[in-house]
Amino acid sequence: QVQLVESGGNLVQPGGSLRLSCAASGIIFNIYAMGWYRQAPGKQRELVARIAGGGTTNYADSVKGRFTISRDNAKNTVYLHMNSLKPEDTAVYYCNVNTGRDYWGKGTLVTVSS
């Protein structure tokens, strides 16, 4: 059974930093691309960043230069390092893997506010 468990969401001031983690189980972690998505209130879920099994990354334009996705295949964990946070980054952040079907975690809330 595939499980994705996110953690690390919090309330942070504009300009601050956070690191999100997603622990995966039930998959051969190192062969699958992992993604971070987010959904703000009243908006559709959108891709934030994605990292292939081999480490190739891609980012939404809105987070380029501020967010970094990384993975530790020994720990079956993917991270999202978020710097220079803005109020518009406020959202529930979800971890995703597609093994032929999509799997999602329950999400972790990031609130950027003074």
Side-chain angles (χ1 to χ4, degrees):
Q1 182 180 358
V2 179
Q3 282 194 312
L4 302 173
V5 180
E6 304 96 336
S7 61
N10 210 333
L11 170 64
V12 62
Q13 291 189 341
S17 299
L18 278 177
R19 187 185 78 164
L20 306 183
S21 301
C22 170
S25 60
I27 58 172
I28 303 173
F29 182 77
N30 63 331
I31 70 172
Y32 292 110
M34 300 295 298
W36 282 101
Y37 289 72
R38 66 185 180 187
Q39 187 166 19
K43 295 189 176 181
Q44 288 190 328
R45 193 172 296 190
E46 62 175 359
L47 175 66
V48 176
R50 194 166 181 269
I51 184 167
T56 302
T57 58
N58 61 284
Y59 296 92
D61 287 344
S62 59
V63 306
K64 280 181 182 176
R66 299 189 298 122
F67 291 12
T68 303
I69 189 170
S70 63
R71 63 192 297 158
D72 185 335
N73 289 337
K75 295 183 178 180
N76 285 11
T77 300
V78 60
Y79 303 99
L80 186 67
H81 308 259
M82 306 186 294
N83 297 317
S84 303
L85 282 160
K86 304 175 181 180
E88 51 263 44
D89 295 317
T90 294
V92 178
Y93 284 71
Y94 297 92
C95 184
N96 168 269
V97 64
N98 185 289
T99 65
R101 60 154 284 186
D102 275 319
Y103 291 94
W104 298 92
K106 293 183 178 180
T108 186
L109 176 63
V110 173
T111 303
V112 184
S113 175
S114 54

